[in-house]
Amino acid sequence: DIQMTQSPSSLSASVGDRVTITCRASQNIRKYLNWYQQKPGEAPRLLIYGTSTLQSGVPSRFSGSGSGTDFTLTISSLQPEDFATYFCQQSYSTPPITFGQGTRLEIK
Amino acid sequence: QVQLQQWGAGLLKPSETLSLTCAVTGVSFSSHYWSWIRQSPGKGLEWIGEINHTGSTNYNPSLKSRVTMSVDTSTKQFSLNLSSVTAADMAVYYCARGRHIAVVTPIHWFDPWGQGTLVTVSS
């Protein structure tokens, strides 16, 4: 199985900050990497697919980049509604599809 | 818009079979694969498997021996059975729309998700 490792596991930031979350795959997954946002008590919501394509309705302050084994999710200017947990997910080598352990983004 | 509504028993005893069903509205049922994913504090998000309208399945090898998925195209519903549950199976279980059936590349994401069902295993 491909292991997905996110860093940091948690992060404190302020409204207006630029934030970057990293996801590393245990082997080359080319660009088959997706990002999700999850708020407490809710299901995950797709933000970005194929490394860098924003899902419809997702604000443009979210962006994704990377390829191979190293990927990043960037939020250019944090808004109050962005405080949540973020997950990466690979689909290159399946089964199984695997997820990162999550990065919890908290208000400083 | 696409909506997934799921239901099933939330409290099980060890060795019982978990059964969940997910109903799809707002999209062609035959155009996608449909997945089950679970989330627990210990294991995080874990993909359980997927099924399409023909009943073709792909399962997570770690759960394959205990998982059965089925589909009812007449009602646009798909179901998950997980046998011989233990405390390790306690999680929130989600259904989700997966990859388009015609896609041949590995691109595969989940959107949208059902509301989730908390499954507790206790004697």
Side-chain angles (χ1 to χ4, degrees), chain B residues 74-123:
Chain B
S74 65
T75 58
K76 296 175 66 174
Q77 294 176 7
F78 61 106
S79 297
L80 167 69
N81 278 6
L82 179 68
S83 64
S84 305
V85 297
T86 69
D89 296 310
M90 288 202 297
V92 177
Y93 285 73
Y94 294 100
C95 57
R97 182 178 64 167
R99 61 190 166 104
H100 193 281
I101 201 161
V103 168
V104 295
T105 65
I107 191 78
H108 189 164
W109 63 83
F110 303 107
D111 179 67
W113 299 49
Q115 79 276 19
T117 301
L118 176 61
V119 172
T120 302
V121 179
S122 175
S123 55

Side-chain angles (χ1 to χ4, degrees), chain A residues 32 34 36 38 42-44 46 49-50 55 87 89 91-92 95-97 99, chain B residues 37 39 45-47 59-61 94 105-111 113-115:
Chain A
Y32 297 106
N34 310 311
Y36 300 85
Q38 185 179 32
E42 298 182 2
L46 177 69
Y49 60 90
Q55 174 67 336
F87 296 93
Q89 172 242 315
S91 60
Y92 179 64
I97 290 167
F99 294 83
Chain B
I37 299 159
Q39 184 175 31
L45 286 162
E46 183 177 27
W47 177 74
Y59 296 145
N60 189 323
Y94 294 100
T105 65
I107 191 78
H108 189 164
W109 63 83
F110 303 107
D111 179 67
W113 299 49
Q115 79 276 19

